Amino acid sequence: MDHPNPSPPATPLDCPCGGGRYAECCGRFIDGGQVPASAEQLMRSRYTAYALARGDYLRATWHASTAPAELGFDDATRWLGLQIRQHVQHDATHAEVEFVARYKVGGRAYRLHERSRFERVPPEEGGRWLYLDGTLFD
């Protein structure tokens, strides 16, 4: 279920993805209506959306064929940082991004290591990159 978030967290000065100032980095996609030009930009902005509990943006950037029926956020999760390990552009409409996201729950640190697949929809459908799915590493 989408986490009700009547008062979203304050917009940070620095972007949670580590790419610079929020407004010039992921904020231009999440709040500003710009469209990420690459799968890596989309990956970074989706990480930031998780950090800010922005389910609206996550839904808008998730491929309809794989999007979950419900999204939930755990208020106890604190996202600590993102490292992009690899960005592979297979062709004009398919790409993969391998990343490690660090987070903390209840004082304990964790890592999420995933290779995410992205697909660009045809121009007549908006030409946007969308998150398709991912494979977790152990």
Side-chain angles (χ1 to χ4, degrees):
M1 178 169 139
D2 282 334
H3 183 317
N5 198 1
S7 54
T11 302
L13 231 30
D14 293 323
C15 194
C17 85
R21 302 299 255 184
Y22 175 77
E24 292 84 34
C25 191
C26 295
R28 62 194 168 124
F29 307 126
I30 296 171
D31 299 324
Q34 291 185 30
V35 177
S38 70
E40 181 178 344
Q41 285 182 336
L42 180 57
M43 175 64 240
R44 288 181 171 282
S45 64
R46 285 178 55 84
Y47 168 85
T48 297
Y50 272 104
L52 300 177
R54 290 292 303 270
D56 58 331
Y57 183 78
L58 291 168
R59 282 206 176 284
T61 59
W62 210 313
H63 198 282
S65 69
T66 58
E70 298 179 1
L71 273 178
F73 296 97
D74 182 352
D75 291 335
T77 302
R78 205 179 81 204
W79 294 94
L80 304 173
L82 175 69
Q83 177 191 29
I84 301 294
R85 294 263 178 104
Q86 186 177 42
H87 173 219
V88 178
Q89 184 78 38
H90 295 294
D91 57 34
T93 59
H94 298 90
E96 292 182 348
V97 177
E98 180 183 344
F99 69 92
V100 175
R102 295 178 303 105
Y103 63 100
K104 213 176 239 192
V105 177
R108 185 167 175 193
Y110 297 92
R111 292 169 25 119
L112 173 67
H113 186 184
E114 180 178 304
R115 178 174 292 119
S116 296
R117 293 187 320 133
F118 296 87
E119 183 176 290
R120 181 180 273 173
V121 297
E124 60 272 13
E125 295 176 29
R128 300 173 57 114
W129 282 102
L130 296 174
Y131 171 78
L132 195 55
D133 59 21
T135 303
L136 293 173
F137 291 84
D138 288 331

